[in-house]
Amino acid sequence: MEYKVDFLFGLVGFFLIQASGIAFINLVFKNIPSLNGWSYYDILFIYGFSQLPRGLDHLIMDNIWIFARDMVIQGTFDRYLVRPINPFFQVISERFQPDAFGEIIVGLIILAISIPKINITISIFNIIIFIILIIAGSVIYTSIKLFFASFAFWIKNSINLVFMVYNISTFAKYPISIYPKAISVLVQFIVPFAFTAFIPAEYILGKVNFLYGVLGTVLCAAIAWILAYGLWTKGIKSYESSGS
C-alpha cells in the first residue's frame, strides 16, 4: 500500500470484474426462475465461494506467473539455487498481491447476502469444514498454476500455457451440470477446478455427501500438489540457466 493510487485502482478493478459476473447472473435470472434446478441464491453462493480460494491463491502465490514468464528465460532463477532455502518458497515469498483483497472481500459480501436466503446450518463443525475447503481449493489453484508454469524449465516461457489453463477456472463459478459432459469431465477429472468451488459449495448446500464433497476435495488437493511439486523439482534438475 506504499503506492496508494496503484493499490486503490487494483482493488477497485477487481471489484468491477466481480461486479460484471454478478450482473451476468442477475441478467440470466431475470428471464428464467431457475437454472437446471439451481436457484438464484444457490448460484450466487457458488460464485461467492469461488472467490475465496481463488483470492487466497492470488494473494500469496501470484509470483508463479512471473516465474512462468521471466525467470527461466532471463536466467534470474539462478539466484534461488545458490541460497540455502527452498527455491519454491523463495519464489512465492518475493511477491504479495494486495489486489486479491478485492476478490476476497467481494466473495465474503456475496456469501453474506446469499447464506440467509438458502438452507445452510451454521455450526462450529461446518465453519471448520468451510475453512478446510477454502484452503484445499486454494491448494488446487496453486498446484494447477505451478504444474503448467513448471514447463518453463523446458520451453523457457510458459505464461501463455498457464493463462490458457487458468481461464478454465471460470467454469467452476457456476454449476457444472449446466455444461456439456465434456466440460464437466474436464473440470472435475483433468483440470480439477470444479473442486475449488462448485463441488465444495455443492456439499455445503447439501447436494453431495461428505465423502465426495469434502474428502474428495482434500484428496484432489493432495494429488494435485504432489504432481505439481513433483514436476517442479524435476524441472529444477533439468534447469540449464540462460545463454549469453
Side-chain angles (χ1 to χ4, degrees), residues 123-140:
S123 65
I124 298 297
F125 175 77
N126 286 341
I127 291 172
I128 292 172
I129 293 298
F130 182 82
I131 294 171
I132 290 173
L133 291 173
I134 290 172
I135 294 172
S138 182
V139 170
I140 293 171

PDB file of all heavy atoms in Angstrom, residues 123-140:
ATOM      1  N   SER A 123     -22.652 -23.933  12.118  1.00  0.00           N
ATOM      2  CA  SER A 123     -22.170 -24.567  13.347  1.00  0.00           C
ATOM      3  C   SER A 123     -20.653 -24.529  13.356  1.00  0.00           C
ATOM      4  O   SER A 123     -20.016 -24.226  12.332  1.00  0.00           O
ATOM      5  CB  SER A 123     -22.662 -26.012  13.429  1.00  0.00           C
ATOM      6  OG  SER A 123     -22.085 -26.788  12.389  1.00  0.00           O
ATOM      7  N   ILE A 124     -20.058 -24.852  14.502  1.00  0.00           N
ATOM      8  CA  ILE A 124     -18.595 -24.878  14.597  1.00  0.00           C
ATOM      9  C   ILE A 124     -18.020 -25.880  13.607  1.00  0.00           C
ATOM     10  O   ILE A 124     -17.040 -25.599  12.909  1.00  0.00           O
ATOM     11  CB  ILE A 124     -18.138 -25.228  16.025  1.00  0.00           C
ATOM     12  CG1 ILE A 124     -18.615 -24.161  17.023  1.00  0.00           C
ATOM     13  CG2 ILE A 124     -16.624 -25.385  16.088  1.00  0.00           C
ATOM     14  CD1 ILE A 124     -18.024 -22.783  16.768  1.00  0.00           C
ATOM     15  N   PHE A 125     -18.646 -27.056  13.518  1.00  0.00           N
ATOM     16  CA  PHE A 125     -18.175 -28.096  12.595  1.00  0.00           C
ATOM     17  C   PHE A 125     -18.216 -27.603  11.158  1.00  0.00           C
ATOM     18  O   PHE A 125     -17.247 -27.763  10.401  1.00  0.00           O
ATOM     19  CB  PHE A 125     -19.037 -29.355  12.739  1.00  0.00           C
ATOM     20  CG  PHE A 125     -18.705 -30.438  11.758  1.00  0.00           C
ATOM     21  CD1 PHE A 125     -17.582 -31.235  11.935  1.00  0.00           C
ATOM     22  CD2 PHE A 125     -19.502 -30.646  10.635  1.00  0.00           C
ATOM     23  CE1 PHE A 125     -17.264 -32.233  11.020  1.00  0.00           C
ATOM     24  CE2 PHE A 125     -19.205 -31.637   9.717  1.00  0.00           C
ATOM     25  CZ  PHE A 125     -18.077 -32.436   9.910  1.00  0.00           C
ATOM     26  N   ASN A 126     -19.335 -26.988  10.770  1.00  0.00           N
ATOM     27  CA  ASN A 126     -19.468 -26.507   9.390  1.00  0.00           C
ATOM     28  C   ASN A 126     -18.504 -25.365   9.082  1.00  0.00           C
ATOM     29  O   ASN A 126     -18.014 -25.247   7.955  1.00  0.00           O
ATOM     30  CB  ASN A 126     -20.900 -26.062   9.127  1.00  0.00           C
ATOM     31  CG  ASN A 126     -21.857 -27.236   8.990  1.00  0.00           C
ATOM     32  OD1 ASN A 126     -21.418 -28.363   8.750  1.00  0.00           O
ATOM     33  ND2 ASN A 126     -23.143 -26.991   9.164  1.00  0.00           N
ATOM     34  N   ILE A 127     -18.228 -24.527  10.069  1.00  0.00           N
ATOM     35  CA  ILE A 127     -17.251 -23.442   9.858  1.00  0.00           C
ATOM     36  C   ILE A 127     -15.858 -24.013   9.630  1.00  0.00           C
ATOM     37  O   ILE A 127     -15.113 -23.556   8.755  1.00  0.00           O
ATOM     38  CB  ILE A 127     -17.260 -22.469  11.056  1.00  0.00           C
ATOM     39  CG1 ILE A 127     -18.584 -21.687  11.094  1.00  0.00           C
ATOM     40  CG2 ILE A 127     -16.077 -21.501  10.979  1.00  0.00           C
ATOM     41  CD1 ILE A 127     -18.768 -20.844  12.330  1.00  0.00           C
ATOM     42  N   ILE A 128     -15.491 -25.046  10.411  1.00  0.00           N
ATOM     43  CA  ILE A 128     -14.181 -25.694  10.242  1.00  0.00           C
ATOM     44  C   ILE A 128     -14.083 -26.332   8.860  1.00  0.00           C
ATOM     45  O   ILE A 128     -13.071 -26.190   8.161  1.00  0.00           O
ATOM     46  CB  ILE A 128     -13.956 -26.744  11.348  1.00  0.00           C
ATOM     47  CG1 ILE A 128     -13.811 -26.056  12.709  1.00  0.00           C
ATOM     48  CG2 ILE A 128     -12.713 -27.585  11.055  1.00  0.00           C
ATOM     49  CD1 ILE A 128     -13.780 -27.006  13.884  1.00  0.00           C
ATOM     50  N   ILE A 129     -15.151 -27.038   8.462  1.00  0.00           N
ATOM     51  CA  ILE A 129     -15.167 -27.652   7.129  1.00  0.00           C
ATOM     52  C   ILE A 129     -15.071 -26.590   6.047  1.00  0.00           C
ATOM     53  O   ILE A 129     -14.352 -26.752   5.043  1.00  0.00           O
ATOM     54  CB  ILE A 129     -16.458 -28.486   6.938  1.00  0.00           C
ATOM     55  CG1 ILE A 129     -16.451 -29.694   7.872  1.00  0.00           C
ATOM     56  CG2 ILE A 129     -16.603 -28.938   5.485  1.00  0.00           C
ATOM     57  CD1 ILE A 129     -15.330 -30.676   7.628  1.00  0.00           C
ATOM     58  N   PHE A 130     -15.765 -25.486   6.239  1.00  0.00           N
ATOM     59  CA  PHE A 130     -15.740 -24.375   5.289  1.00  0.00           C
ATOM     60  C   PHE A 130     -14.310 -23.866   5.100  1.00  0.00           C
ATOM     61  O   PHE A 130     -13.849 -23.673   3.968  1.00  0.00           O
ATOM     62  CB  PHE A 130     -16.642 -23.254   5.815  1.00  0.00           C
ATOM     63  CG  PHE A 130     -16.759 -22.060   4.914  1.00  0.00           C
ATOM     64  CD1 PHE A 130     -17.640 -22.066   3.854  1.00  0.00           C
ATOM     65  CD2 PHE A 130     -15.988 -20.929   5.133  1.00  0.00           C
ATOM     66  CE1 PHE A 130     -17.766 -20.962   3.016  1.00  0.00           C
ATOM     67  CE2 PHE A 130     -16.097 -19.822   4.315  1.00  0.00           C
ATOM     68  CZ  PHE A 130     -16.987 -19.835   3.248  1.00  0.00           C
ATOM     69  N   ILE A 131     -13.584 -23.677   6.194  1.00  0.00           N
ATOM     70  CA  ILE A 131     -12.190 -23.199   6.127  1.00  0.00           C
ATOM     71  C   ILE A 131     -11.298 -24.227   5.437  1.00  0.00           C
ATOM     72  O   ILE A 131     -10.455 -23.881   4.600  1.00  0.00           O
ATOM     73  CB  ILE A 131     -11.670 -22.875   7.541  1.00  0.00           C
ATOM     74  CG1 ILE A 131     -12.443 -21.686   8.126  1.00  0.00           C
ATOM     75  CG2 ILE A 131     -10.172 -22.582   7.514  1.00  0.00           C
ATOM     76  CD1 ILE A 131     -12.159 -21.430   9.595  1.00  0.00           C
ATOM     77  N   ILE A 132     -11.488 -25.511   5.783  1.00  0.00           N
ATOM     78  CA  ILE A 132     -10.694 -26.576   5.154  1.00  0.00           C
ATOM     79  C   ILE A 132     -10.913 -26.585   3.644  1.00  0.00           C
ATOM     80  O   ILE A 132      -9.962 -26.721   2.861  1.00  0.00           O
ATOM     81  CB  ILE A 132     -11.059 -27.948   5.768  1.00  0.00           C
ATOM     82  CG1 ILE A 132     -10.555 -28.037   7.207  1.00  0.00           C
ATOM     83  CG2 ILE A 132     -10.472 -29.091   4.929  1.00  0.00           C
ATOM     84  CD1 ILE A 132     -11.020 -29.273   7.948  1.00  0.00           C
ATOM     85  N   LEU A 133     -12.165 -26.428   3.217  1.00  0.00           N
ATOM     86  CA  LEU A 133     -12.481 -26.449   1.786  1.00  0.00           C
ATOM     87  C   LEU A 133     -11.866 -25.256   1.061  1.00  0.00           C
ATOM     88  O   LEU A 133     -11.401 -25.393  -0.075  1.00  0.00           O
ATOM     89  CB  LEU A 133     -14.001 -26.466   1.594  1.00  0.00           C
ATOM     90  CG  LEU A 133     -14.713 -27.759   2.011  1.00  0.00           C
ATOM     91  CD1 LEU A 133     -16.222 -27.601   1.939  1.00  0.00           C
ATOM     92  CD2 LEU A 133     -14.243 -28.933   1.148  1.00  0.00           C
ATOM     93  N   ILE A 134     -11.846 -24.099   1.708  1.00  0.00           N
ATOM     94  CA  ILE A 134     -11.228 -22.929   1.087  1.00  0.00           C
ATOM     95  C   ILE A 134      -9.723 -23.145   0.916  1.00  0.00           C
ATOM     96  O   ILE A 134      -9.154 -22.863  -0.143  1.00  0.00           O
ATOM     97  CB  ILE A 134     -11.498 -21.671   1.933  1.00  0.00           C
ATOM     98  CG1 ILE A 134     -12.970 -21.282   1.843  1.00  0.00           C
ATOM     99  CG2 ILE A 134     -10.622 -20.505   1.463  1.00  0.00           C
ATOM    100  CD1 ILE A 134     -13.365 -20.178   2.789  1.00  0.00           C
ATOM    101  N   ILE A 135      -9.080 -23.674   1.960  1.00  0.00           N
ATOM    102  CA  ILE A 135      -7.638 -23.927   1.883  1.00  0.00           C
ATOM    103  C   ILE A 135      -7.336 -24.976   0.818  1.00  0.00           C
ATOM    104  O   ILE A 135      -6.410 -24.814   0.014  1.00  0.00           O
ATOM    105  CB  ILE A 135      -7.098 -24.371   3.260  1.00  0.00           C
ATOM    106  CG1 ILE A 135      -7.219 -23.222   4.263  1.00  0.00           C
ATOM    107  CG2 ILE A 135      -5.650 -24.839   3.151  1.00  0.00           C
ATOM    108  CD1 ILE A 135      -6.888 -23.616   5.687  1.00  0.00           C
ATOM    109  N   ALA A 136      -8.128 -26.054   0.799  1.00  0.00           N
ATOM    110  CA  ALA A 136      -7.919 -27.107  -0.202  1.00  0.00           C
ATOM    111  C   ALA A 136      -8.124 -26.560  -1.612  1.00  0.00           C
ATOM    112  O   ALA A 136      -7.354 -26.875  -2.529  1.00  0.00           O
ATOM    113  CB  ALA A 136      -8.879 -28.271   0.064  1.00  0.00           C
ATOM    114  N   GLY A 137      -9.155 -25.734  -1.791  1.00  0.00           N
ATOM    115  CA  GLY A 137      -9.384 -25.126  -3.104  1.00  0.00           C
ATOM    116  C   GLY A 137      -8.234 -24.242  -3.526  1.00  0.00           C
ATOM    117  O   GLY A 137      -7.824 -24.238  -4.700  1.00  0.00           O
ATOM    118  N   SER A 138      -7.676 -23.497  -2.585  1.00  0.00           N
ATOM    119  CA  SER A 138      -6.531 -22.641  -2.885  1.00  0.00           C
ATOM    120  C   SER A 138      -5.315 -23.471  -3.282  1.00  0.00           C
ATOM    121  O   SER A 138      -4.565 -23.100  -4.194  1.00  0.00           O
ATOM    122  CB  SER A 138      -6.212 -21.771  -1.666  1.00  0.00           C
ATOM    123  OG  SER A 138      -5.144 -20.901  -1.941  1.00  0.00           O
ATOM    124  N   VAL A 139      -5.115 -24.607  -2.604  1.00  0.00           N
ATOM    125  CA  VAL A 139      -4.007 -25.513  -2.949  1.00  0.00           C
ATOM    126  C   VAL A 139      -4.178 -26.042  -4.372  1.00  0.00           C
ATOM    127  O   VAL A 139      -3.197 -26.163  -5.122  1.00  0.00           O
ATOM    128  CB  VAL A 139      -3.915 -26.678  -1.940  1.00  0.00           C
ATOM    129  CG1 VAL A 139      -2.926 -27.743  -2.421  1.00  0.00           C
ATOM    130  CG2 VAL A 139      -3.498 -26.164  -0.570  1.00  0.00           C
ATOM    131  N   ILE A 140      -5.415 -26.335  -4.754  1.00  0.00           N
ATOM    132  CA  ILE A 140      -5.667 -26.815  -6.123  1.00  0.00           C
ATOM    133  C   ILE A 140      -5.328 -25.726  -7.133  1.00  0.00           C
ATOM    134  O   ILE A 140      -4.683 -25.994  -8.155  1.00  0.00           O
ATOM    135  CB  ILE A 140      -7.131 -27.277  -6.267  1.00  0.00           C
ATOM    136  CG1 ILE A 140      -7.376 -28.518  -5.409  1.00  0.00           C
ATOM    137  CG2 ILE A 140      -7.447 -27.587  -7.741  1.00  0.00           C
ATOM    138  CD1 ILE A 140      -8.836 -28.918  -5.307  1.00  0.00           C
TER     139      ILE A 140
END
